[in-house]
Amino acid sequence: MKNLIFLYCFLTFALVYGQTIEYTGIVKEKRDKTPLPGVQIIVKGTKLGTQTDFDGNFKISVPDSSKVLTISYLGFKMQEIKLDEPRLLEIYLKEDCNICFFDYQDIGFHAMSGILNNPVGGQLYFSTPAMFGGTTLKTNVAYQTNLKENRFLSSSVSLVHLFMDCGFDMDIKASLRNLNHNNNIDSQSYSLESSINIRGIKLLAGFSNINYLELDKNKMVKSNGPLVGIGKWLGPPFYAEVNATTSIFRNLSEYQVEIKRNFRRLSSFIRYNKIGGFNELSIGLGYQLNYYLKKREKLE
């Protein structure tokens, strides 16, 4: 009789606690509703878990006795989900306001080729360690030529992450562009611009000065003008940054468009420049590495 009672209790316990409920769902970023791959889904208090696929979808079997899922993903706030009906879950994660940048103490170089005019060229850039709690100084020099009379030099110095907050970042950049083309166009322009990055969208505004001479059109422009632009980070499947600026002068405009993408240590870009009667479409492929004068720190 005792054995029968024990067996009955054991079977009842197994029946009650051995049942599982299957939940399916999707995890997205709250800001732009983008699905998040690789999110960890754990049944709280257990080692049972799974992670989202490339499209942010998941499926998990949860013991009937468990009622909470823990959702965690690097760069986002951890969230606990209480389980109830329905069994199809749509979960939104908010970005964590701890800011961590990875563009300090970088040295990089690109081999460049201008498709239209200047087939030979290169680019070097350098960034300092973090200063004043987060700001870094960046320099960039690019040079292209056809190994004859054509040359196109551009350089810049930037204070990056000058002001930072959750979802907000401000930069300041000074740049120079010097151009000689076919013994016909001679141009030198300067610009000073600031950019505000808000939730993946960059707004640019500034001031430019140009000395431009185009002999065959007997055109000479010495002018100041406003600079405006916009940039955007493109998520999956592109994972690229797009920036476009224009400087508006008297009887003349200057345009710059760039698409950049990094993959681990490799980086690439497509860049278009237009100044008056000069156009250039450039492609660059390069490598970046880090130097370690001090440990990188997480910025809060």
Side-chain angles (χ1 to χ4, degrees):
M1 180 62 68
K2 291 182 179 180
N3 290 337
L4 289 175
I5 294 174
F6 175 79
L7 181 60
Y8 173 79
C9 294
F10 176 79
L11 291 175
T12 301
F13 179 86
L15 182 64
V16 172
Y17 292 94
Q19 292 180 342
T20 61
I21 302 175
E22 185 175 81
Y23 290 86
T24 59
I26 186 170
V27 181
K28 300 180 181 179
E29 182 180 353
K30 187 172 183 179
R31 175 171 55 87
D32 57 10
K33 309 300 186 293
T34 303
L36 294 173
V39 178
Q40 295 293 322
I41 316 290
I42 304 294
V43 179
K44 186 175 182 179
T46 75
K47 295 183 179 180
L48 300 175
T50 186
Q51 66 179 22
T52 58
D53 62 18
F54 186 79
D55 297 316
N57 298 306
F58 71 92
K59 181 184 296 184
I60 188 170
S61 295
V62 180
D64 189 53
S65 58
S66 300
K67 296 297 182 182
V68 178
L69 293 179
T70 300
I71 319 296
S72 59
Y73 191 57
L74 182 64
F76 291 79
K77 292 184 178 181
M78 188 179 69
Q79 189 175 153
E80 291 189 350
I81 303 295
K82 293 184 178 180
L83 297 175
D84 202 350
E85 297 292 344
R87 296 178 187 176
L88 179 61
L89 305 174
E90 190 170 18
I91 301 168
Y92 293 93
L93 293 183
K94 293 178 63 177
E95 288 181 288
D96 197 333
C97 287
N98 290 327
I99 304 171
C100 189
F101 292 105
F102 299 96
D103 54 358
Y104 301 116
Q105 298 170 216
D106 282 344
I107 300 175
F109 59 89
H110 287 90
M112 296 174 59
S113 178
I115 296 175
L116 303 179
N117 297 294
N118 299 295
V120 180
Q123 175 176 270
L124 296 173
Y125 61 91
F126 170 82
S127 64
T128 68
M131 306 177 293
F132 314 117
T135 303
T136 185
L137 179 68
K138 289 187 174 185
T139 61
N140 183 86
V141 178
Y143 182 80
Q144 294 175 260
T145 180
N146 68 345
L147 302 179
K148 295 179 181 179
E149 71 278 0
N150 290 356
R151 64 182 177 84
F152 184 35
L153 169 70
S154 63
S155 62
S156 66
V157 178
S158 308
L159 281 174
V160 182
H161 315 313
L162 191 58
F163 302 104
M164 295 180 295
D165 199 352
C166 185
F168 176 86
D169 185 21
M170 181 176 179
D171 308 330
I172 294 178
K173 181 172 79 171
S175 59
L176 162 69
R177 293 166 298 284
N178 190 286
L179 165 68
N180 292 98
H181 179 63
N182 290 341
N183 293 320
N184 178 51
I185 296 177
D186 188 356
S187 175
Q188 184 163 287
S189 57
Y190 307 86
S191 62
L192 179 64
E193 66 188 70
S194 63
S195 62
I196 298 176
N197 308 283
I198 304 175
R199 299 294 183 183
I201 298 178
K202 180 186 293 185
L203 303 176
L204 302 100
F207 173 85
S208 294
N209 171 272
I210 194 168
N211 291 324
Y212 178 87
L213 174 64
E214 191 170 355
L215 293 176
D216 65 355
K217 294 184 178 180
N218 194 27
K219 183 176 183 179
M220 186 169 72
V221 177
K222 293 185 177 181
S223 177
N224 300 318
L227 178 150
V228 293
I230 191 169
K232 181 72 171 71
W233 165 253
L234 303 178
F238 303 104
Y239 299 103
E241 181 182 355
V242 180
N243 293 290
T245 62
T246 180
S247 297
I248 304 171
F249 305 105
R250 185 179 64 252
N251 301 321
L252 185 71
S253 295
E254 180 180 9
Y255 304 95
Q256 301 175 74
V257 180
E258 184 178 60
I259 302 173
K260 298 187 295 184
R261 178 170 180 174
N262 294 340
F263 180 75
R264 297 182 180 177
R265 293 298 178 192
L266 295 178
S267 60
S268 62
F269 67 80
I270 299 174
R271 183 181 297 159
Y272 176 71
N273 294 91
K274 176 176 172 56
I275 306 173
F278 170 79
N279 294 269
E280 184 63 280
L281 179 65
S282 304
I283 297 175
L285 179 64
Y287 183 80
Q288 62 185 24
L289 53 90
N290 307 115
Y291 63 95
Y292 292 95
L293 297 182
K294 66 178 183 178
K295 184 179 179 181
R296 297 184 180 194
E297 297 179 353
K298 190 173 184 180
L299 307 174
E300 297 190 4

